[in-house]
Amino acid sequence: MQRRHSLLLTRAQVFSLALAGMGAMPSGAQGALTTPSILAPASTPAHEIYALSQFVLVITGAIFLVVGGLLAFVIIRFHARKTDAEHEPAQIYGSTQVELAWTVIPVLIVVVLFLTTARVIFAIQDAPKPQSALDVIVVGHQFWWEFRYPKLGIVTANELHVPVSTSTMPRPTFLQLLSADVDHSFWVPQLGGKTDLIPNHPNAMWIDPQSTGLYLGQCAQFCGVEHAKMLLRVYADTPDQFAAWVKAEQRPAMQPDAHNADAVAGRHVFETQACANCHTISGTAAKGTFGPDLTHLMSRATIAAGAAANTSDNLRAWIQDPNTVKPGALMPAMQLSDQETDEVVAYLTTLH
Amino acid sequence: MADQTYPIPGTLDTTPSRGAALLEWVHSWVVTVDHKKLGILYIAYALVFLLVAGVEAMAIRIQLAIPHNHFLSAELYNEFFTMHGTTMVFLVGMTLIFGFGNYFVPLMIGARDMAFPRLNAFSFWMSAFGGLLLYFSFIGGFGLYGMGSAPDVSWWAYAPLTAKAFSPGHNTDYWALALIVMGFGTLGAAINTLATAFSMRCRGMTLLRMPLFVWLMVVASADTLIVITPLTAAQVMLIIDRYLGGHFFDTQAGGSATVWMHFFWIFGHPEVYVLILPAFGIASEVIPVFSRKAIFGYPAMVAASVGIAFVSLSVWAHHMFTIGMTSVSNAFFALSTMMVGIPTGIKIFNWVATMWGGKIRFATPMLFCTAFLFQFLCAGLTGIMLAVAPWDWQLHNSYFVIAHFHYTLTGSFVFCFFAAIYYWYPKITGRMLSETLGKWHFWLFFIGFHMTFDTMHFVGFLGMPRSSYTYEPDRGWTTLNMIISAGGLIQAVAVLILVWNIIDSFLHGPLAGNDPWDAWTLEWSTPSPPPPYNFETEPVVRSRRPLWDIKHPNDPDWKYER
Amino acid sequence: MSTIPIFADESWRLPSRGRVAMFSLIIGESAIFTIFVVAYIYYIGRSVTGPTPQILDVPWFNTVCLLSSSIAIVFAERAIEHGRIRAFAAWWALTMLLGIVFLAGTAIEWKRLIYTNGLTIRTNLFGTTFYSLVGLHATHVVVGLLMLSLVMIFTLLGRVEQRHTQRIQVLSLYWHFVDAVWVVVFTVVYMMGK
Ligand code: HEA
Ligand code: HEA
Ligand code: CUA
Ligand SMILES: [Cu+2]
């Protein structure tokens, strides 16, 4: 696994170096990478931006070559030599024609750049929303993500599932972006540009991943202590996978098996301790909304917005003291006894 | 040419009385109203804080050298990057420009002091006090424990993260109060600079004969007037919110987070031009002298500077492309931002044209200015990329932005001011800086700079967000971050060389004489260091290069100038 | 011993530094007021709860006082220009009096708003923006009055003479600015905002 990562990473690095060197980039379509590179677009907005960026790079690259070349020439050609005559070089105070030329040419370049830019702004930002679009409400919290699917009745956290969108079956996802506290920003580079989540100021954006897989991203607006660990995972599922996921999420929480005494006890602890004030587990007394919905906790690969893998050990560590996993997270250490902790973990691991 | 002598005004004996007690010496600096002493105070203050903010930058880089590092805690990291940015912009940037401005604006226009010497002292001490208040935060508040309450909300301090609810304690208060205090100092300095340049010019120094450095100080000061004040206003509102229970930025009570963003960037964007314009001024002094040619297109240079200042007032929202503005506003701000490239281009071309056909001496000041030209070209072009709003949706708050603005701030601003130090140190102290150490300083800083900030563009492309105290090992950012951090250390070594050079040359450097660079502006007609009253008799000028006229009586500038 | 040849143009006049500085200060101050005014306008009608601008009474009397103080100060300037120190003192005192009446009027208005209408700076957005903007202006009146009284004291001590005209004029520039800002504040708060 580690090897694959490093291979992918070198590829992405080679791209960016190539891009710097030649001002040209290899074509996009790579599928999901562990490096959230903006040079490997996998969704229409990201593709359009990528194409635009290539165009801009060519123009700025050309300016760079011309002006940089001039500068290099001047440095080499006109540096003082020992053999030079003693007197001062000819004094030139200016030249209207030349100065006019280097005013007008940049004006033209700016016009071209602006028109191309404007086209893409409108194409992405004002794209009409098709009937088939999926709606998701994203709520930013310090320091985790809440995802609500209003039409499907699903609430989940940190890991967004969306259907893949193909040219034959376009299924874009439209995100409505809200914030529960401070500013955040939703950014999954392979899928599109970022948009901020600002309290009192609803925003929107859309994505349509074209190949399946896991796309990584993270919060891109400084939002406090743990801003760095407000990671994002977006799964682009095949239509079947997505339907199955929706179905699983729509069920209320699993009841712990009666044989599983620990889990039964754990549920009791969960419902009677403060946990229930902050977390929701549908079908139980826990109806809090301050923390992530735990109804299908086990359907997620990570906990605490990607701060740790979703394993029993990590859950235990987390519940004992979230600060050891994610210092500054807004869940307090719950002061449960070891036994209670084990029971709660046993219960949580049943929440598939 | 260089050994030709010419008479100069002002050669009184200025050796200080030997036995003066240390206390008296300190006292003389504290109560001074002399623009040169205040200038030195400003510059020294800026250099000290350059080291402090540099150490913060180094701590940041050590923390980010490897993923999941524990060198700094999350809280401390946030304090460090906020303090690094705030210090660099306000305590280093603003004080450096007003330091050199203070010292050289009067000298270059043939005046004996600033227009308001006492206001000048007041401004400096306000700035100094503001800076100390900012740094007092490390020990104030909750005390040294946990590193006190240094600001930790980033230098743009977006609401509502700064609200009492999300920022309890006094971190944000230190940030706002210290900057308000500094703001008054800056305002005073700006007003003083304007009054000096307009009302203290010597005979014959018409506006269009002022050296470009003076012009750019004028434009920067005018810009300062209109942009520092909105910051002060916004910070007063923030303080009202925090102390009096106001609701300006209280999103729970209908207040708006985006209004703060607008207010901040109405200040924040022009502010970066306030910093870069005097740097342009330095380049416009150094490049002609070391190319041995008059500046190319002086009127266009002045017009372009004024143009930049004007256009820069209407571009602030390019820092806000991702906050969900309408597509029309996004397009408008993309256009206005790109338009800044036009006057800036004129300046770049004029500098290159000045070098064209010259006899370029690559002494240390010129090395720094040449590197500045190259780096500013790159920085401007990455700025244009950021101005392409859709691309900015990707690049915003990534390390690409960090790379862009360190190219402008370190690669352009700091490079120019290093040039200024090498160029004017002989005038200020009477001794030359060591050229050998200067070359070491330049090349190490140049290499370190490019290792650090070139690489940052790439981690930005690969999706690394800024303001993050750590990152995941599987993202492919590890190697690149290591290179970035290594480059940072090289820069630190280079800066240490500069510090050593400044101290050592002060004690042992070769004497400079009045005019070591064979230059053309009035400050070089005085002894080094200049006497308290600058000029024995008030100079009279007839062109932009008065000393050229003296040195070339047969071929003076005023015959040709447009 | 300067050998820089003297061949500059005969007349060499520069603007007065006091004036340049005061104009600069005014530009800076205008930017501060602009920000507060913009905030006020933006937040009009956005308060979630509590009193609204309808509770305000238009302070006509106050406004007339402040604006006439600007006229009074012009007469004061004239007086000193012609060296009539006693007339100057009288006009100057009148200016200050009108300024003080303005401040008193504001104090009365605020007292009513606070105790009768229950509007404080924390009540809602209207309260926050109203007290900040009007308060910012009042602060400038206070500062202006302090500077005016300094001059007044020097006048009474007999230290102000005709040759100080320049400085007096620079100071009155500030007072005119404070009045002009009031016109903006008045329009925004009591006309537009209601
Ligand atoms: C000294 C400081 C300085 C300077 C001079 C500039 C100059 C420019 N900057 Fe930069 N900028 C910063 C400091 C500076 N910037 C800082 C500190 C930030 C981040 C703040 C933060 O978030 O913390 C920032 C962020 C920033 C952003 C927001 C990024 C983001 O957060 O998403 C943008 C977007 O448009 C931008 C654009 C530009 C442009 C277009 C210029 C132009 O002025 C450049 C003009 C120059 C040229 C274009 C090159 C020369 C011209 C030619 C050779 C002519 C031909 C060229 C053309 C016709 C294109 N800058
Ligand atoms: C003039 C402005 C200026 C300058 C010169 C610099 C210089 C440097 N900056 Fe700075 N930086 C900013 C202005 C500036 N910066 C701003 C405005 C921000 C944004 C803040 C925010 O987001 O709020 C920022 C943010 C910023 C970040 C992003 C932090 C984050 O978002 O998480 C980083 C990361 O690498 C960084 C690094 C550096 C480095 C390595 C240097 C180097 O060039 C520094 C070189 C100088 C020195 C090294 C000093 C020498 C020190 C010594 C001689 C002592 C010896 C010390 C040791 C050996 C440890 N800066
Ligand atoms: Cu949420 Cu950063
Ligand atoms: Cu900007």
Side-chain angles (χ1 to χ4, degrees):
Chain A
M1 194 58 198
Q2 201 49 48
R3 263 202 65 159
R4 229 187 103 231
H5 285 163
S6 56
L7 279 182
L8 288 171
L9 129 197
T10 26
R11 238 164 91 204
Q13 284 174 1
V14 169
F15 292 153
S16 55
L17 291 172
L19 152 142
M22 318 179 306
M25 288 177 275
S27 78
Q30 327 282 324
L33 301 176
T34 57
T35 298
S37 167
I38 67 170
L39 310 177
S43 148
T44 306
H47 271 297
E48 293 199 20
I49 293 174
Y50 177 68
L52 174 67
S53 71
Q54 281 177 303
F55 176 76
V56 175
L57 257 181
V58 170
I59 293 197
T60 47
I63 299 176
F64 174 76
L65 288 181
V66 171
V67 184
L70 273 176
L71 183 61
F73 175 77
V74 163
I75 293 173
I76 295 167
R77 171 67 185 76
F78 295 111
H79 76 254
R81 292 176 180 79
K82 293 242 162 55
T83 54
D84 281 350
E86 268 292 291
H87 57 77
E88 304 269 16
Q91 301 294 308
I92 300 159
Y93 299 89
S95 151
T96 315
Q97 287 96 339
V98 186
E99 290 179 52
L100 208 62
W102 66 47
T103 312
V104 172
I105 296 173
V107 171
L108 298 179
I109 300 178
V110 165
V111 170
V112 173
L113 279 176
F114 168 66
L115 292 177
T116 340
T117 302
R119 192 189 62 72
V120 180
I121 294 178
F122 290 106
I124 297 179
Q125 211 177 334
D126 299 344
K129 179 165 146 188
Q131 285 290 306
S132 59
L134 172 72
D135 282 307
V136 180
I137 297 176
V138 181
V139 188
H141 295 260
Q142 275 180 326
F143 307 98
W144 59 280
W145 305 90
E146 176 182 347
F147 298 117
R148 291 197 226 129
Y149 296 66
K151 292 202 190 110
L152 304 174
I154 297 174
V155 180
T156 179
N158 299 332
E159 300 185 5
L160 177 67
H161 283 256
V162 299
V164 74
S165 176
T166 56
S167 49
T168 46
M169 232 179 63
R171 191 92 205 273
T173 304
F174 274 67
L175 307 172
Q176 213 205 334
L177 305 168
L178 312 172
S179 166
D181 36 49
V182 301
D183 304 339
H184 305 273
S185 192
F186 184 96
W187 189 29
V188 184
Q190 286 192 274
L191 299 185
K194 61 182 74 59
T195 309
D196 296 354
L197 298 81
I198 302 168
N200 257 352
H201 182 95
N203 275 335
M205 66 177 276
W206 60 280
I207 51 177
D208 61 344
Q210 282 138 5
S211 44
T212 56
L214 167 62
Y215 296 93
L216 298 173
Q218 70 191 81
C219 176
Q221 174 60 55
F222 181 66
C223 53
V225 196
E226 276 301 323
H227 157 71
K229 290 210 175 154
M230 186 162 164
L231 308 182
L232 249 173
R233 300 161 76 85
V234 177
Y235 291 90
D237 296 337
T238 61
D240 294 344
Q241 282 171 336
F242 185 69
W245 179 81
V246 168
K247 224 164 160 198
E249 290 287 314
Q250 283 171 331
R251 288 194 322 256
M254 300 274 197
Q255 297 297 323
D257 204 328
H259 304 300
N260 192 343
D262 274 357
V264 175
R267 175 174 168 177
H268 181 71
V269 174
F270 194 95
E271 284 180 309
T272 50
Q273 294 280 345
C275 316
N277 297 338
C278 294
H279 294 282
T280 297
I281 297 181
S282 69
T284 73
K287 299 228 163 13
T289 53
F290 185 73
D293 187 304
L294 302 179
T295 310
H296 299 285
L297 178 62
M298 284 302 127
S299 72
R300 307 203 273 268
T302 61
I303 57 169
N310 188 358
T311 62
S312 316
D313 286 346
N314 285 341
L315 277 172
R316 191 171 293 113
W318 174 262
I319 292 162
Q320 261 161 2
D321 186 1
N323 268 302
T324 56
V325 180
K326 191 172 173 180
L330 293 189
M331 170 165 151
M334 295 304 301
Q335 322 285 1
L336 302 184
S337 68
D338 282 356
Q339 196 201 338
E340 283 172 324
T341 311
D342 286 342
E343 289 165 354
V344 169
V345 171
Y347 170 56
L348 291 178
T349 48
T350 66
L351 297 173
H352 286 285
Chain B
M1 177 71 253
D3 53 9
Q4 181 187 330
T5 56
Y6 49 90
I8 34 79
T11 26
L12 270 202
D13 181 15
T14 53
T15 32
S17 59
R18 288 259 156 179
L22 180 67
L23 201 62
E24 208 166 297
W25 180 78
V26 173
H27 181 253
S28 76
W29 283 91
V30 172
V31 299
T32 184
V33 294
D34 175 26
H35 74 100
K36 293 184 292 300
K37 281 191 156 184
L38 284 166
I40 294 173
L41 282 175
Y42 266 118
I43 296 169
Y45 176 83
L47 288 180
V48 167
F49 277 110
L50 176 68
L51 295 187
V52 172
V55 169
E56 282 157 358
M58 291 306 111
I60 290 174
R61 286 322 318 171
I62 294 173
Q63 165 69 13
L64 293 180
I66 52 172
H68 287 181
N69 198 355
H70 294 290
F71 179 71
L72 296 177
S73 67
E75 287 89 348
L76 205 53
Y77 181 90
N78 296 341
E79 293 182 353
F80 269 31
F81 87 78
T82 306
M83 289 295 272
H84 165 73
T86 310
T87 310
M88 283 291 192
V89 170
F90 293 96
L91 309 194
V92 180
M94 293 308 266
T95 39
L96 262 185
I97 69 171
F98 284 115
F100 279 96
N102 240 297
Y103 203 107
F104 289 106
V105 166
L107 279 169
M108 289 175 120
I109 59 172
R112 289 196 161 152
D113 205 328
M114 296 285 277
F116 303 100
R118 270 172 295 179
L119 171 65
N120 202 12
F122 173 77
S123 306
F124 169 75
W125 291 105
M126 284 297 267
S127 301
F129 179 67
L132 295 181
L133 181 62
L134 187 65
Y135 270 86
F136 181 73
S137 64
F138 272 119
I139 47 174
F142 297 128
L144 255 183
Y145 142 81
M147 278 313 242
S149 11
D152 57 355
V153 285
S154 75
W155 86 288
W156 60 84
Y158 274 3
L161 190 59
T162 49
K164 265 275 185 242
F166 303 110
S167 174
H170 293 299
N171 312 46
T172 304
D173 301 328
Y174 278 112
W175 182 81
L177 289 172
L179 292 192
I180 290 176
V181 172
M182 282 213 65
F184 284 115
T186 313
L187 195 61
I191 291 176
N192 214 340
T193 308
L194 286 172
T196 309
F198 283 122
S199 309
M200 309 288 286
R201 282 167 286 138
C202 68
R203 278 183 90 81
M205 180 67 75
T206 57
L207 285 180
L208 281 181
R209 285 183 195 153
M210 289 200 304
L212 280 172
F213 177 72
V214 178
W215 254 113
L216 282 143
M217 281 304 298
V218 166
V219 178
S221 302
D223 232 8
T224 305
L225 284 185
I226 354 187
V227 303
I228 282 282
T229 37
L231 177 69
T232 305
Q235 284 170 328
V236 168
M237 293 178 186
L238 180 61
I239 292 292
I240 291 177
D241 273 10
R242 288 179 62 88
Y243 280 98
L244 304 179
H247 305 291
F248 280 109
F249 310 116
D250 173 4
T251 46
Q252 318 281 320
S256 164
T258 49
V259 164
W260 170 270
M261 298 178 186
H262 282 289
F263 288 173
F264 184 82
W265 290 117
I266 283 174
F267 147 77
H269 179 83
E271 164 68 14
V272 302
Y273 290 97
V274 167
L275 295 180
I276 203 68
L277 288 173
F280 287 172
I282 290 163
S284 306
E285 295 304 325
V286 171
I287 290 177
V289 167
F290 288 87
S291 308
R292 310 307 308 153
K293 278 183 68 213
I295 189 86
F296 189 91
Y298 175 98
M301 286 303 246
V302 173
S305 314
V306 178
I308 291 175
F310 262 106
V311 181
S312 78
L313 294 177
S314 67
V315 306
W316 75 87
H318 68 214
H319 296 271
M320 301 159 58
F321 283 138
T322 63
I323 69 154
M325 294 187 295
T326 61
S327 40
V328 175
S329 335
N330 280 337
F332 170 81
F333 283 106
L335 176 62
S336 61
T337 304
M338 289 171 185
M339 273 170 24
V340 182
I342 298 165
T344 318
I346 294 179
K347 298 194 78 91
I348 298 233
F349 294 127
N350 279 336
W351 285 318
V352 176
T354 304
M355 293 165 74
W356 188 282
K359 282 185 197 161
I360 308 171
R361 290 178 295 171
F362 284 104
T364 314
M366 188 60 181
L367 280 178
F368 275 105
C369 277
T370 315
F372 148 78
L373 281 182
F374 172 67
Q375 279 140 203
F376 189 71
L377 172 67
C378 305
L381 294 175
T382 55
I384 296 296
M385 299 180 198
L386 291 168
V388 174
W391 201 2
D392 184 73
W393 296 334
Q394 287 284 21
L395 298 174
H396 177 65
N397 277 1
S398 77
Y399 262 82
F400 188 88
V401 174
I402 306 276
H404 157 71
F405 75 71
H406 282 89
Y407 251 74
T408 59
L409 287 170
T410 308
S412 311
F413 175 80
V414 171
F415 267 69
C416 277
F417 275 88
F418 282 160
I421 290 175
Y422 283 90
Y423 183 60
W424 277 318
Y425 185 90
K427 178 55 52 190
I428 297 177
T429 64
R431 289 178 188 273
M432 303 296 287
L433 281 170
S434 152
E435 271 292 303
T436 322
L437 287 179
K439 296 252 154 64
W440 274 99
H441 169 207
F442 171 76
W443 285 109
L444 280 177
F445 200 74
F446 183 77
I447 293 167
F449 170 84
H450 282 281
M451 268 175 79
T452 300
F453 297 112
D454 295 7
T455 319
M456 275 191 189
H457 292 99
F458 302 129
V459 278
F461 280 147
L462 298 184
M464 177 156 168
R466 67 193 285 194
S467 325
S468 306
Y469 74 92
T470 193
Y471 53 95
E472 301 297 307
D474 68 355
R475 300 296 161 101
W477 304 331
T478 312
T479 327
L480 295 176
N481 269 297
M482 198 46 143
I483 299 174
I484 296 175
S485 298
L489 283 178
I490 298 180
Q491 291 176 62
V493 174
V495 175
L496 284 178
I497 294 178
L498 170 70
V499 172
W500 172 246
N501 199 355
I502 288 180
I503 296 170
D504 187 56
S505 301
F506 184 73
L507 302 173
H508 311 296
L511 290 180
N514 294 356
D515 183 15
W517 308 115
D518 192 5
W520 302 311
T521 35
L522 280 179
E523 77 271 29
W524 302 106
S525 71
T526 67
S528 313
Y533 45 83
N534 294 350
F535 301 96
E536 194 188 349
T537 51
E538 199 191 322
V540 177
V541 301
R542 202 175 170 189
S543 80
R544 288 169 202 142
R545 297 192 296 172
L547 300 204
W548 170 278
D549 294 351
I550 297 177
K551 295 173 192 176
H552 302 268
N554 303 325
D555 196 22
D557 258 4
W558 46 265
K559 282 196 185 156
Y560 307 99
E561 263 173 14
R562 288 184 290 165
Chain C
M1 57 168 287
S2 161
T3 58
I4 301 180
I6 306 207
F7 37 28
D9 337 51
E10 275 310 306
S11 66
W12 185 243
R13 267 215 215 95
L14 292 168
S16 120
R17 57 186 172 159
R19 241 164 228 281
V20 174
M22 187 50 83
F23 272 117
S24 308
L25 181 69
I26 286 175
I27 293 173
E29 292 262 30
S30 313
I32 296 194
F33 276 103
T34 311
I35 293 294
F36 274 87
V37 167
V38 167
Y40 190 89
I41 295 176
Y42 180 83
Y43 286 128
I44 287 175
R46 288 187 196 239
S47 293
V48 187
T49 52
T52 61
Q54 268 65 49
I55 60 171
L56 294 178
D57 286 333
V58 182
W60 288 113
F61 177 66
N62 256 355
T63 307
V64 170
C65 285
L66 195 62
L67 294 188
S68 25
S69 79
S70 247
I71 301 173
I73 208 167
V74 170
F75 281 106
E77 285 175 59
R78 290 258 175 86
I80 191 153
E81 221 176 318
H82 298 110
R84 300 196 307 269
I85 302 296
R86 299 183 123 249
F88 166 74
W91 285 114
W92 202 255
L94 180 63
T95 311
M96 287 180 59
L97 184 72
L98 289 168
I100 291 169
V101 171
F102 173 84
L103 275 186
T106 307
I108 295 168
E109 179 194 26
W110 284 23
K111 180 159 184 272
R112 178 179 70 79
L113 289 175
I114 294 170
Y115 291 102
T116 317
N117 302 90
L119 179 75
T120 69
I121 200 163
R122 14 173 102 221
T123 309
N124 58 13
L125 266 172
F126 167 54
T128 304
T129 51
F130 172 80
Y131 287 112
S132 308
L133 179 55
V134 176
L136 181 70
H137 177 261
T139 315
H140 280 77
V141 177
V142 172
V143 172
L145 279 176
L146 286 178
M147 296 199 291
L148 292 187
S149 25
L150 274 182
V151 174
M152 199 67 217
I153 292 171
F154 284 123
T155 315
L156 294 180
L157 293 179
R159 299 264 197 78
V160 174
E161 294 162 25
Q162 188 170 3
R163 66 191 168 87
H164 294 121
T165 308
Q166 270 261 339
R167 296 190 188 180
I168 299 289
Q169 279 172 344
V170 168
L171 185 53
S172 16
L173 220 59
Y174 179 83
W175 191 255
H176 289 308
F177 165 71
V178 172
D179 285 3
V181 168
W182 177 251
V183 176
V184 177
V185 173
F186 181 81
T187 320
V188 168
V189 174
Y190 298 97
M191 302 280 119
M192 271 174 67
K194 269 187 86 164

